[in-house]
């Protein structure tokens, strides 16, 4: 039944894209409401019930705003940059295993055996969008923002990769399906708790901490949002962007956030598995939907922490950012990998 | 070496979480009205006595006390036998006024008062200069 | 010459002087109500109590003669207590209406009460209410405020010589009043308002016009007669609210006439000339065609007259004069009301010699008339009718202004800086108390424009004039100060 499988795949694929894009407006309203609550306010609560239609209003507003390109800007690059920011993280969703399988269909758009590597490479492309957008705007603030973005991403990419490596070492695979499958043996088999090896527990905890910190920096989120810090750079790389182009930058940031949260969930928090709710052997419709629900819940928890951190911590200085990246996180992640390797050797070659 | 104080990060996160679930300070204005506390200093009015006449005797004490110099009085002789002097015109420029309440404090006749009204709007500057009639009929 | 010890310091006093005078002359402050340097001492307010070595009790210093080796103490707890007690008695019947009293802010009773008493009254009974009424066309009395110091009564007897006022009733009912059907209506009646140490006597023209602390005071000189009484102009919102005399022993002593005080209405009435027509350069161009005449009023300042003289020399124009004489010389104590109703005639005579009449038969005429009440006398109208070109500078609209090709509105004396020379040859400064109407420029400015010289301030013009006019030799604004200075030859 090739056609039936293709049909299923198509449905999963479309659902994935839908989730990727659909989560963005939800995240914007969540972000604003949480920000308001933390500041003892109510936040946007006028459009629709509890303000839930606020993203729609924002979208309409962005759509109807004037599309402005500065004089002497590079029009082509100015046009391409927002897409370069938005599309790669959206592509990254392709290899995320959203849930267990229903029947024979795995809830993953593309079942790629080097999925994690694919994701890393795709996510790294997004920085081109920022750098190009900054350069093409013909504005020194934008350019500085773009440069900061690329420098910051290069610095934290190392930590990110090493933190992902920890999870890969625990799973002994770069296939997302395998990584998740190895974490379905009970809550202690989650990579964050050492992947079934209690001696590797500190490695797992440190790993998720490093991964999450690097993810904040990768996504230009507070406290690492130096590329767009208003006090110094007006709006950073998107200073000269308006209307839907700005919206693309904006959405790109949120898609990348969702993507990163999904990666953290997948690599460290057992993916769609939660003891007592999902069963790896349950391939029914109900089990499949439950597994997707668990995955989404975990992802949202991570996203909430993103927002929570944003409204708690002030921004770093640039030198502090570089110090932390190169002198703090990088040695720490290298040591983490080494420690895990040693633990692996002493526990029979298998963490 | 920079001191990475991880503990205080979590302390900060805990504090913001407390606010996240805590009581909100926002007053949703058109639905919820702000009810000024007792002694709130809003726009002025001039009081009347039992016979409906103005209490003001145009002594200029309010104008003297006013730090914003927003009170302008022209005095004249009184038509009533129980007092000598009344204001012929009495203007308060509420755009200049800083609502400090010094005029009320200074008034020897308890004639001027700051009411809790604070939502009067105007579309021209002249409307915000309240004259004797407007101040009396509030 | 008796020598007394004033607060431990030995001072010499002229014979016959009282202790209070000795204190005032030597800078020792003694509060007083009934005593006034220009009036005979009465000794009834008891405020000037001081401690003297000859007496066990406190003595009223205004009636106590100085004797040799007298020790006088004007400060200290005993004296302060005495003053406190006197004030408490005075305040028994004084109403608490400072907020609506026009004297508030410059009231001696207020000041001394503030200085010596805590502001608490022990009096629990009903206060005596006395009459409030008009004593004359300009003076109103609030009897309840009266402290019966009799300064006003003594002024009417000793200075005005008319004696309209008297003290009626006895005890705490005593109050100043006039005889029935005889209101106080003498030429210096408003001085009683200045004399009143409290707010009992009030100028009806100033009633409710201003709280004095809002008003701006400018030291100037009255321009209503050739005497040049020293005055303080009280102005509020660019209006002159009143004028009160300043002390100048050489000119007006302490007094001033009502006519001078009240001669300010024309400054802001609707007949005031405010619009100009043509310019000073037009005037100059017309005057240089020849056969030109100038008419100058003796109301102009020294600076203006000197500039007009230079213009007359440049244009080779004859200068005629407008003057105003009314009534006769009246003397009230140290105050003389002159019949010459213009302030600067003496200087005109010094500068131009004998004052010539209006020049007749000129083709062009320039009239500089600063006299507010003078509107085109017949000889001037005749000369103006005969002239082809007429330039007028006047305070008020009139037939002459309507005829003129060039109109340059004049500044009133309170709207400009300058100097006047009074009838005794004393040069005194006038100062700008209020702003002139928007389009009106000071005469000094446009006269210099007509001359085509570097525009100088009034002070600069005076310095130039002082170099060339012998009568002004050696004078400048600094030397004139606020009391003026005698000119050369006087």
């Amino acid at each position: 039944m090739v056609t039936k499988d293709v049909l299923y795949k198509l449905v999963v694929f479309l659902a994935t894209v839908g989730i990727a894009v659909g989560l963005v407006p939800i995240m914007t309203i969540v972000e604003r409401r949480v920000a308001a609550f933390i500041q003892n306010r109510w936040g946007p609560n006028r459009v629709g019930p509890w303000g839930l239609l606020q993203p729609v209003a924002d979208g309409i507003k962005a759509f109807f705003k004037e599309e402005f390109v500065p004089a002497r800007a590079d029009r082509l690059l100015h046009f391409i940059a927002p897409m370069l920011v938005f599309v790669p993280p959206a592509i990254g969703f392709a290899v995320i295993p959203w849930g267990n399988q229903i029947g024979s269909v795995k809830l993953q758009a593309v079942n790629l055996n080097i999925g994690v590597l694919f994701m890393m490479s795709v996510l790294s492309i997004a920085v081109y969008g920022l750098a190009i957008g900054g350069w093409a705007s013909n504005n020194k603030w934008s350019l500085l923002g773009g440069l900061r973005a690329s420098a910051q991403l290069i610095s934290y990419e190392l930590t990110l990769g090493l933190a992902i490596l920890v999870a890969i070492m625990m799973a002994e695979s770069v296939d997302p399906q395998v990584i998740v499958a190895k974490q379905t043996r009970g809550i202690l088999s989650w990579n964050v708790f050492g992947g079934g090896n209690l001696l590797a527990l500190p490695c797992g905890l440190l790993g998720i901490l490093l991964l999450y910190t690097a993810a904040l920096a990768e996504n230009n989120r507070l406290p690492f949002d130096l590329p767009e810090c208003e006090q110094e750079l007006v709006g950073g790389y998107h200073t000269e962007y308006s209307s839907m182009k700005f919206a693309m930058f904006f959405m790109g940031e949120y898609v990348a956030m969702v993507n990163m949260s999904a990666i953290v969930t997948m690599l460290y928090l057992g993916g769609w598995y939660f003891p007592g709710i999902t069963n790896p052997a349950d391939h029914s419709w109900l089990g499949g939907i439950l597994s997707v629900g668990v995955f989404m819940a975990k992802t949202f928890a991570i996203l909430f922490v993103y927002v929570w951190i944003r409204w708690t911590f002030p921004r770093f200085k640039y030198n502090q950012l570089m110090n932390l990246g190169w002198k703090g996180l990088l040695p720490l992640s290298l040591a983490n990998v080494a420690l895990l390797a040693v633990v692996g050797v002493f526990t029979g070659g298998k963490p | 070496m920079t001191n990475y104080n991880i503990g205080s990060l979590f302390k900060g996160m805990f504090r913001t979480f407390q606010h996240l679930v805590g009581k909100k300070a926002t007053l949703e204005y058109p639905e919820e009205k702000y009810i000024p506390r007792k002694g709130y200093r809003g726009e002025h009015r001039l009081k009347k006595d039992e016979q409906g006449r103005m209490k003001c005797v145009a002594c200029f004490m309010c104008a003297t006390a006013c730090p914003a110099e927003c009170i302008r009085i022209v005095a004249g002789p009184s038509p009533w036998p129980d007092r000598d002097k009344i204001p012929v015109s009495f203007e308060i420029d509420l755009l200049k006024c800083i609502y400090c309440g010094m005029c009320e404090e200074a008034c020897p006749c308890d004639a001027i008062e700051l009411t809790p009204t604070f939502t009067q709007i105007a579309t021209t500057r002249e409307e915000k200069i309240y004259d004797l009639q407007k101040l009396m009929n509030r | 010459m008796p020598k007394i010890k004033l607060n431990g310091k030995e001072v010499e006093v002229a014979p016959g002087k009282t202790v209070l005078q000795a204190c005032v002359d030597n800078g020792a402050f003694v509060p007083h109500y009934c005593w006034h340097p220009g009036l005979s001492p009465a000794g009834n307010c008891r405020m000037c109590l001081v401690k003297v070595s000859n007496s066990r009790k406190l003595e009223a210093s205004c009636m106590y003669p100085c004797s040799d080796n007298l020790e006088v103490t004007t400060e200290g707890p005993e004296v302060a207590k005495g003053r406190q007690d006197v004030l408490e008695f005075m305040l028994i019947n004084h109403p608490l209406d400072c907020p609506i009293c026009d004297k508030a802010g410059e009231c001696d009773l207020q000041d001394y009460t503030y200085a010596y008493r805590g502001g608490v009254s022990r009096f629990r009974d009903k206060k005596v209410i006395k009459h409030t009424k008009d004593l004359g066309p300009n003076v109103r009395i609030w009897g309840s405020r009266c402290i019966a110091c009799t300064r006003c009564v003594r002024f009417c007897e000793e200075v005005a010589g008319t004696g309209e006022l008297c003290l009626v009733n006895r005890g705490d009912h005593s109050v100043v009043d006039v005889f029935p059907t005889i209101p106080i209506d003498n030429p210096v009646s408003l001085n009683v308002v200045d004399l009143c140490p409290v707010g009992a006597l009030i100028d009806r023209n100033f009633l409710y016009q201003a709280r004095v602390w809002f008003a701006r005071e400018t030291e100037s000189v009255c321009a209503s007669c050739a005497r040049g009484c020293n005055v303080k102009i009280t102005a509020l919102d660019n209006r002159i609210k009143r004028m009160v005399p300043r002390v100048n022993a050489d000119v007006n002593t302490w007094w001033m006439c009502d006519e001078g005080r009240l001669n300010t209405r024309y400054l802001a009435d609707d007949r005031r000339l405010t619009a100009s027509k043509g310019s000073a350069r037009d005037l100059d161009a017309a005057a240089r065609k020849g056969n030109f005449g100038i008419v100058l009023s003796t109301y102009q300042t020294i600076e203006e007259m000197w500039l007009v003289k230079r213009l007359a020399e440049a244009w080779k124009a004859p200068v005629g004069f407008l003057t105003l004489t009314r009534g006769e010389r009246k003397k009230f104590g140290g105050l003389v009301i002159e019949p010459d109703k213009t302030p600067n005639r003496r200087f005109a005579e010094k500068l131009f010699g004998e004052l010539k009449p209006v020049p007749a038969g000129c083709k062009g005429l320039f009239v500089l008339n600063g006299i507010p009440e003078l509107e085109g006398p017949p000889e001037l109208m005749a000369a103006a009718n005969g002239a082809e070109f007429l330039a007028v500078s006047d305070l008020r609209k009139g037939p002459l202004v309507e005829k003129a090709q060039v109109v340059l509105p004049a500044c009133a004396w309170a709207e400009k800086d300058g100097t006047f020379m009074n009838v005794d040859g004393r040069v005194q400064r006038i100062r700008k108390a209020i702003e002139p109407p928007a389009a009106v420029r000071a005469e000094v400015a446009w006269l210099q424009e007509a001359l085509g010289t570097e525009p100088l301030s009034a002070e600069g013009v005076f310095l130039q004039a002082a170099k060339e006019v012998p009568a002004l030799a050696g004078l400048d604004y600094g030397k004139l100060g606020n009391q003026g200075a005698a000119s050369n030859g006087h």
Side-chain angles (χ1 to χ4, degrees), chain A residues 33-34 36-43 45-46 209 304-305 308-309 311-313 320 323-324 327-328, chain B residues 1-2 4 6 8-10 12-14 16-17 19-32:
Chain A
R33 287 308 287 265
V34 171
F37 285 176
I38 284 176
Q39 295 167 354
N40 287 4
R41 301 183 282 119
W42 284 118
N45 61 352
R46 294 283 147 161
L209 201 66
F304 172 74
V305 177
W308 185 8
I309 284 175
W311 298 103
T312 303
F313 299 132
Q320 291 170 334
N323 262 341
L324 180 68
K327 294 186 191 164
Chain B
M1 185 67 194
T2 321
Y4 298 109
I6 308 287
S8 62
L9 295 185
F10 288 105
M13 299 272 287
F14 178 67
T16 46
F17 192 80
H19 283 270
L20 184 74
V21 296
K23 200 170 168 288
K24 302 293 170 267
T26 309
L27 181 92
E28 294 187 83
Y29 174 63
E31 292 93 29
E32 298 176 57

Side-chain angles (χ1 to χ4, degrees), chain B residues 57 59-60 64 72 76 84-85, chain C residues 99-100 142 208 211 213 237:
Chain B
V57 294
C59 69
F60 290 64
T64 306
R72 221 191 124 78
D84 291 329
K85 196 177 176 188
Chain C
I100 56 160
W142 269 261
Y208 306 147
R211 304 312 323 252
W213 54 88
D237 296 339

Side-chain angles (χ1 to χ4, degrees), chain C residues 119-446:
Chain C
V120 181
S121 176
R122 289 184 286 167
F123 188 68
R124 292 284 173 272
D125 296 305
K126 261 196 140 75
K127 294 195 175 203
V128 178
I129 309 288
K130 297 167 210 166
H131 61 80
T132 298
K133 65 178 188 185
D134 292 339
L135 294 183
N138 290 324
V139 182
R140 178 178 289 183
I141 186 167
W142 269 261
S144 301
R145 295 176 190 159
C146 180
I147 56 168
C149 69
T150 68
R151 270 186 183 187
C152 50
V153 176
R154 278 174 286 146
F155 176 83
C156 286
E157 280 169 10
E158 295 165 16
V159 180
T162 45
E164 294 104 332
L165 296 180
C166 62
L167 208 59
V168 297
N169 298 339
R170 297 196 305 169
D172 61 0
H173 285 73
S174 56
V175 64
V176 169
D177 202 351
V178 288
F179 294 102
T181 73
I182 309 175
I184 172 167
D185 189 15
N186 59 56
V188 287
S189 67
L190 277 174
N191 285 303
V192 300
V193 174
D194 302 330
L195 281 170
C196 187
V198 294
L201 294 169
I202 295 284
D203 180 355
R204 285 174 70 188
N205 306 284
F206 184 63
L207 184 65
Y208 306 147
Q209 287 296 304
R211 304 312 323 252
V212 288
W213 54 88
F214 286 125
R216 204 160 55 95
E217 291 193 327
T218 313
E219 292 185 338
S220 190
V221 167
C222 175
S224 294
C225 80
R227 172 55 49 187
C229 295
N230 288 210
V231 298
K232 228 168 13 190
I233 299 175
T234 303
L236 183 67
D237 296 339
N238 214 35
R239 291 286 173 93
I240 295 183
K241 296 294 184 187
R242 67 168 182 192
M243 293 205 291
V244 290
R246 282 188 288 135
V247 182
N248 189 336
D250 294 326
V251 182
N252 58 322
T253 61
W254 301 272
W255 325 120
M256 181 182 176
C257 69
D258 292 1
E259 190 190 339
R261 275 178 208 262
L262 302 176
N263 192 17
T264 58
R265 306 269 163 79
Y266 66 89
L267 282 163
D269 72 3
D270 52 358
R271 290 197 49 215
R272 183 76 196 271
L273 180 62
T274 54
S276 60
K277 186 159 103 187
S279 73
R281 299 303 306 162
D282 300 342
L283 166 65
D284 184 48
R288 283 181 192 283
K289 287 180 189 151
N291 196 7
F292 202 76
I294 297 175
V295 179
L296 183 62
S297 79
T298 48
Y299 225 88
Q300 308 303 329
T301 63
I302 287 177
E303 291 81 359
E304 289 155 16
M305 284 191 181
W306 187 68
L307 288 170
V308 167
K309 177 149 198 256
R310 286 174 62 190
L311 275 175
E313 281 161 6
W315 298 341
K316 298 186 182 58
V319 183
F321 283 89
L322 295 175
T323 57
L324 185 67
T325 312
R326 178 162 28 82
E328 53 200 39
R329 221 173 123 93
K330 288 182 209 146
K331 198 164 183 305
F332 296 98
L335 175 73
V336 180
I337 304 174
E338 299 291 338
D340 176 8
K341 295 297 174 197
T342 58
N344 209 15
R345 182 177 177 137
R346 176 54 55 97
F347 182 73
E349 284 166 359
K350 293 243 175 205
L351 195 61
F352 294 96
E354 198 187 328
L355 300 187
K356 296 192 187 72
V358 175
C362 289
K363 266 173 75 184
L365 202 61
F366 171 39
V367 182
L368 200 59
N369 177 19
I371 306 177
E373 50 198 296
L374 191 69
E375 295 174 14
E379 70 274 18
L380 178 61
M381 291 308 290
N385 284 332
E388 289 167 19
F389 176 85
L390 182 63
V392 175
S393 166
D394 206 337
L395 274 169
R396 322 190 78 187
K397 295 170 190 159
L400 212 56
V401 172
E402 272 157 35
K403 263 193 224 300
Q405 280 86 4
V406 172
V407 178
L408 298 154
C411 270
W413 104 106
E415 294 166 352
K416 61 189 175 190
D417 287 311
T419 43
F420 286 140
M421 187 185 281
N422 85 342
V423 68
D424 296 334
R426 192 179 185 83
V427 181
Q428 308 188 93
R429 277 201 63 189
I430 56 169
R431 288 180 180 81
K432 189 178 194 172
I434 56 173
E435 291 295 322
V440 179
R441 294 166 67 206
E443 284 91 337
V444 169
W446 54 256

Side-chain angles (χ1 to χ4, degrees), chain B residues 47-50 53-57 83 109-111:
Chain B
K47 292 195 207 164
K48 297 175 194 168
D49 62 10
E50 312 80 56
R53 308 175 301 182
M54 65 183 93
K55 271 179 149 181
C56 178
V57 294
R83 65 192 81 170
C109 295
D110 197 19

